[in-house]
Amino acid sequence: MPMRKLVFCTFRQSGFHCWDNAPVSYVYLAELHRHVFHVRVSVIIEDSNREVEFIALKAKAVDEFKLMGLPRPEFITDALDYGSYSCEMLAGELWKRLMCLGYSIHSVEVSEDGENGAILAR
């Protein structure tokens, strides 16, 4: 299998979400609750010299992730409301948005507090 070249960026975003229709054993997750979402985006490149500048990639990924949430002034922080989006849904939506900006996405990872989460990869 040929070697694949990737660049990546990581960032964190405070946010709230909930699990609508959570089963009884996880009913507490049906309420809006806070996490620090840890995000990692990897992009396929062909060239070895800044074909995709990862500083620019990070700026676009952060902007798009923030646009996916709603500001809630009552939170008193920069935390955003991601509604009933799961880590899988957040990763998928960010993937789509970055693909529309022309990035060749290899993977998007979103975790809750850097512990548990989802990875979408090709």
Side-chain angles (χ1 to χ4, degrees):
M1 176 178 268
M3 180 174 54
R4 182 170 261 173
K5 296 178 189 176
L6 307 173
V7 295
F8 71 92
C9 69
T10 64
F11 62 93
R12 297 177 185 168
Q13 174 62 51
S14 299
F16 289 78
H17 74 162
C18 62
W19 183 4
D20 289 341
N21 305 313
V24 174
S25 55
Y26 298 103
V27 71
Y28 59 95
L29 296 175
E31 298 296 323
L32 207 59
H33 55 281
R34 183 184 182 281
H35 291 290
V36 175
F37 293 103
H38 293 231
V39 181
R40 179 183 173 113
V41 175
S42 296
V43 172
I44 300 166
I45 59 168
E46 300 298 324
D47 187 17
S48 293
N49 192 16
R50 296 180 179 87
E51 174 186 335
V52 172
E53 174 51 58
F54 42 75
I55 295 169
L57 171 63
K58 179 176 181 173
K60 291 290 186 187
V62 168
D63 288 348
E64 292 300 322
F65 199 79
K66 285 184 175 183
L67 287 172
M68 291 162 42
L70 297 172
R72 298 277 301 265
E74 67 272 26
F75 290 163
I76 312 173
T77 69
D78 65 342
L80 297 171
D81 184 347
Y82 290 98
S84 60
Y85 270 46
S86 65
C87 289
E88 299 92 317
M89 293 172 174
L90 290 168
E93 181 64 23
L94 184 57
W95 182 307
K96 285 188 272 184
R97 288 168 176 255
L98 293 173
M99 289 287 287
C100 287
L101 294 175
Y103 291 103
S104 181
I105 304 298
H106 174 267
S107 61
V108 177
E109 177 178 334
V110 177
S111 70
E112 298 173 347
D113 310 310
E115 295 178 347
N116 307 304
I119 301 172
L120 276 61
R122 51 162 118 179

